[in-house]
Amino acid sequence: MSLSLADVLAARRRMAGVAVHTPLVPSPFLSARCGQNFLLKLENTQPIGAFKLRGAVNAVFGLPAEANGVTCCSTGNHGRGVAYAARARGLRAVVCMSSLVPRAKVDGIRALGAEVRIAGRSQDDAHAESRRLAKEEGLVEISPFDDPLVIAGQGSIGLELMEDRPDLAAILVPLSGGGLAAGVALAAKAIRPDIRVFGISMDRGAAMHEAMRAGRPVEVEEVPSLADSLGGGIGMDNRLSFPICRDHLAGVVLVTEEEIYRAMQALYFEDRLVAEGASVVGAAALLAGKLPAFSGPVATIVTGRNVDMAAFTDVVCGRDIQLGDYLVKGSAYGS
Ligand SMILES: *Cc1c(COP(=O)(O)O)cnc(C)c1O
């Protein structure tokens, strides 16, 4: 199984009219910190509020006519994308999620007409449930990251970035299961082999980072995080996203919960954006001084806006956030 730019181009044709070619806007505040033009790719403006619509549409619209329904496991946004795409095709969708998934994401999926199953306390538990449904109810399972059509769909972001700013020196990609980073790296490097694509993860439970260090998929413990969309493993039987990330990423940078907290505040107060924790990790890495120097413009992907608004309000107001038994000490922005 190999993926190429042709698969990404095909994905883009298939998603036309459903997923949006999103804006790429400069952030004056982050540009000043970077010393280079720093751009935000606003995937929060997709119809479901997150980029995952791209891969989901490509996978669901790519199914044969006789498919009688789809299932998936999800940290929230993939389920939303699959639900949206399945509704557009008139297919049944069952989304399996763990109890760690925030309420706002669960409600958003139900509102799109999908059935929701809450299974266990980790992505692995949710995955086991979607696999069972696929087997017992004849639904087609769509992986959030380890599926060629999903990766090609997410790769359309890399295509748009290179079309809009062919002079980019680097792309900072929020990294969990690696479908997004694999697709973006594949597309961008097919067009500009010298561009550097970095994955950014939270420092607690960074599954792809651990796998790249070990040279094979490894189990990680999933813990509550401000970047809830980045939780979960990459699958011990990973076929695609792991080798592509391993071969194409320039490196992986890890950020702390405190750095994610401050970046959520910065994007809100400086760029007026409501962005979920997973989508600010690129800005967090920059603000924390964890990135190398760049020789040209840099873009990061603001991957989604589907944050629990009560928790988001706590962050922008500088309140403490309790994540399981981990406390993120709050402080007002700029103090
Ligand atoms: C899924 C998701 C990611 C990570 O994508 P992967 O393909 O799993 O690496 C990042 N941000 C948001 C908002 C997501 O929903």
Side-chain angles (χ1 to χ4, degrees):
M1 174 85 240
S2 80
L3 274 165
S4 70
L5 188 59
D7 298 297
V8 180
L9 290 162
R12 178 154 69 176
R13 284 193 296 276
R14 198 177 265 150
M15 74 181 72
V18 184
V20 175
H21 181 135
T22 53
L24 181 65
V25 300
S27 165
F29 172 75
L30 294 171
S31 297
R33 296 303 185 90
C34 186
Q36 297 285 350
N37 217 327
F38 194 93
L39 301 139
L40 305 173
K41 175 75 168 158
L42 299 182
E43 288 298 305
N44 54 314
T45 62
Q46 289 292 354
I48 64 154
F51 75 91
K52 286 229 175 58
L53 183 62
R54 297 175 184 260
V57 165
N58 195 36
V60 172
F61 287 22
L63 290 173
E66 62 274 15
N68 68 358
V70 292
T71 184
C72 66
C73 63
S74 173
T75 51
N77 287 327
H78 176 62
R80 203 158 172 145
V82 167
Y84 190 97
R87 189 174 67 174
R89 259 202 65 170
L91 283 174
R92 176 182 177 214
V94 186
V95 179
C96 305
M97 290 174 285
S98 86
S99 57
L100 288 180
V101 174
R103 183 63 190 275
K105 289 198 166 95
V106 176
D107 290 347
I109 289 165
R110 280 214 180 90
L112 288 169
E115 295 160 49
V116 168
R117 301 277 167 91
I118 304 295
R121 291 197 41 80
S122 70
Q123 270 293 98
D124 285 343
D125 294 340
H127 186 203
E129 176 67 4
S130 69
R131 217 170 336 183
R132 189 189 68 77
L133 282 169
K135 221 158 131 196
E136 291 176 12
E137 300 192 23
L139 302 174
V140 179
E141 189 185 13
I142 300 175
S143 165
F145 50 80
D146 201 29
D147 176 298
L149 294 173
V150 169
I151 294 172
Q154 324 303 31
S156 61
I157 296 173
L159 210 56
E160 290 175 14
L161 282 168
M162 297 320 296
E163 286 169 352
D164 293 348
R165 283 304 294 256
D167 57 337
L168 283 179
I171 307 172
L172 312 177
V173 186
L175 174 66
S176 175
L180 175 62
V184 167
L186 210 69
K189 291 178 82 77
I191 297 166
R192 270 265 320 283
D194 63 324
I195 196 165
R196 292 199 291 167
V197 181
F198 293 86
I200 323 279
S201 299
M202 74 286 201
D203 63 357
R204 303 183 316 143
M208 186 62 81
H209 175 70
E210 294 300 327
M212 284 168 65
R213 277 173 31 155
R216 60 182 164 78
V218 289
E219 305 268 11
V220 292
E221 198 199 340
E222 192 174 340
V223 295
S225 170
L226 282 172
D228 51 85
S229 288
L230 299 186
I234 65 166
M236 295 303 283
D237 54 353
N238 190 296
R239 295 177 307 137
L240 286 171
S241 65
F242 170 63
I244 298 174
C245 286
R246 179 193 62 202
D247 295 347
H248 293 292
L249 295 187
V252 177
V253 178
L254 303 181
V255 293
T256 66
E257 296 295 330
E258 289 73 16
E259 288 161 357
I260 294 169
Y261 183 105
R262 279 194 289 278
M264 287 173 81
Q265 290 184 326
L267 254 71
Y268 179 74
F269 285 102
E270 306 289 349
D271 295 289
R272 306 298 202 262
L273 285 176
V274 174
E276 52 179 291
S279 70
V280 305
V281 292
L286 172 73
L287 293 172
K290 289 181 167 175
L291 297 173
F294 296 111
S295 57
V298 180
T300 192
I301 304 166
V302 178
T303 45
R305 63 163 186 235
N306 297 323
V307 63
D308 177 274
M309 285 310 281
F312 184 75
T313 305
D314 285 341
V315 171
V316 299
C317 291
R319 296 185 195 115
D320 292 353
I321 301 282
Q322 191 71 48
L323 297 166
D325 47 23
Y326 187 87
L327 177 77
V328 186
K329 204 75 194 101
S331 61
Y333 183 64
S335 69

